[in-house]
Amino acid sequence: MHKADVLVLGAGMVGVSTALHLQSRGRSVVLIDRRGVAEETSYGNAGLIQREGIVPYAFPRDLRLISQYALNLLPEANVHYGALPKIAPWLVRYFLQSSPEHVAATARGARPLVERCIIEHEAFMEAAGVIGMIRRTGYMKLFRSEEGLEEGLAKAEAVRKPYGVNYEALTPAAVADMEPHLRGPIAGGILMPDPASVPDPAAVAKSYARLFQEKGGRVMIGDARSLAQFPQGWEVETSEGRVRAQAAVLALGPWADDVFAPLGYFFPLGVKRGYHMHYRAEGNATLNRPVLDAEVGYVLAPMTAGLRLTTGAEFAERDAPATPVQLERDEAAAKEIFPLGARVDPEPWLGRRPCLPDMLPVIGPAARHQGLWFNFGHHHLGFTLGPVTGRLLAEMMTKEAPFTDPTPYAPGRFEA
């Protein structure tokens, strides 16, 4: 029998960060995952720390655009029609939460988290000895048409003053200066200067986990679905035997409902699936920063393993077989603007983004179970916000004054 103060279930960026913050506040912590550190969603993202990501990815309100998405006519989205009976209620809630008023409320809630994302990552990176992995080059939004560029600039200007989101408009010549190997139909771009990026997000998460272990933390393989309550707390079965603690944190991302639902909680947790593939570049071609092909809807990012192409969203059941049709479309589009070479990976990687309809995470205590805490639902910003929300939850759990009001992320906001 192993004992600790806290069990953290889920070893992605959110769980690892939560474990580190609790440990720094004097708690003994066991970090538990069925596969290991950063082997799921935190493994395959675009490596961005999105300091600009205050305004959420909203459901479109334009009927023409919605119809195009519904018919799978646009590469940035793919819908599994067979999944609609199950996912339609979530899509409706997502649509309703994407009104201008709700988007503004989400942005106000997200801002204090997003504003600290790089600060908290850099603190961990310094402590873990990997500060050299952070790249302060921002990222570029690339536009193929004048119409798309004008629309993109209008959106960027609309959030600049209200939320402090900086941007720089780029002419085609400025794009060429910054990224000389981009080619083809380029009307201009927008540089987002404040975000940072890393060349291997999984390696960053694993470095944080090593720091956690060096300071005495334990990482174990176990199934979170075995979580059970006993009179003094919570226990989980692991490959090293049963582990008990007074408190447990669900940091399970898209798998959180496997644990909270049997305990009688309802959260409208949806999943946006996505794919990535690594490529070689032809000749001596390079990218200096991640590039979002804004009118197509994918990101091309320089990574340790090659150029990583990450797709938009696939609306499907969480565990449905992979259908990487977006990757095929995006690959063809990417070759129009960059000399993309051969694939590196044997097959596409599939990840799952855990999304709540208001695009804010759930952070806080369970209403009906003493010692149970939630930290999940970070949508597109799990890698970005893991260290920030880990800090906030650790402050709440240790009765420290939280750095921001946790009310916008309260679990009870979804209860009738």
Side-chain angles (χ1 to χ4, degrees), residues 338-358:
F338 186 85
L340 208 60
R343 290 184 172 191
V344 173
D345 307 324
E347 60 183 25
W349 178 86
L350 167 62
R352 299 156 179 89
R353 308 173 183 101
C355 302
L356 293 151
D358 61 1

Side-chain angles (χ1 to χ4, degrees), residues 48-115:
L48 288 167
I49 304 173
Q50 289 192 248
R51 173 59 183 80
E52 92 299 352
I54 293 171
V55 180
Y57 294 95
F59 198 101
R61 313 295 283 180
D62 181 271
L63 290 177
R64 181 183 61 85
L65 193 57
I66 292 173
S67 65
Q68 289 178 304
Y69 284 140
L71 296 172
N72 287 334
L73 297 177
L74 298 176
E76 61 260 43
N78 184 50
V79 179
H80 281 199
Y81 296 126
L84 283 176
K86 184 172 182 178
I87 67 175
W90 180 84
L91 288 171
V92 170
R93 293 188 70 149
Y94 183 24
F95 174 81
L96 294 174
Q97 289 285 331
S98 294
S99 69
E101 297 80 11
H102 283 112
V103 167
T106 290
R108 288 193 298 271
R111 185 171 185 173
L113 302 180
V114 173
E115 285 182 337

Side-chain angles (χ1 to χ4, degrees), residues 72-75 77-78 296 324-334:
N72 287 334
L73 297 177
L74 298 176
N78 184 50
V296 181
V325 294
Q326 291 165 282
L327 189 63
E328 306 292 338
R329 299 172 183 173
D330 292 343
E331 181 179 312

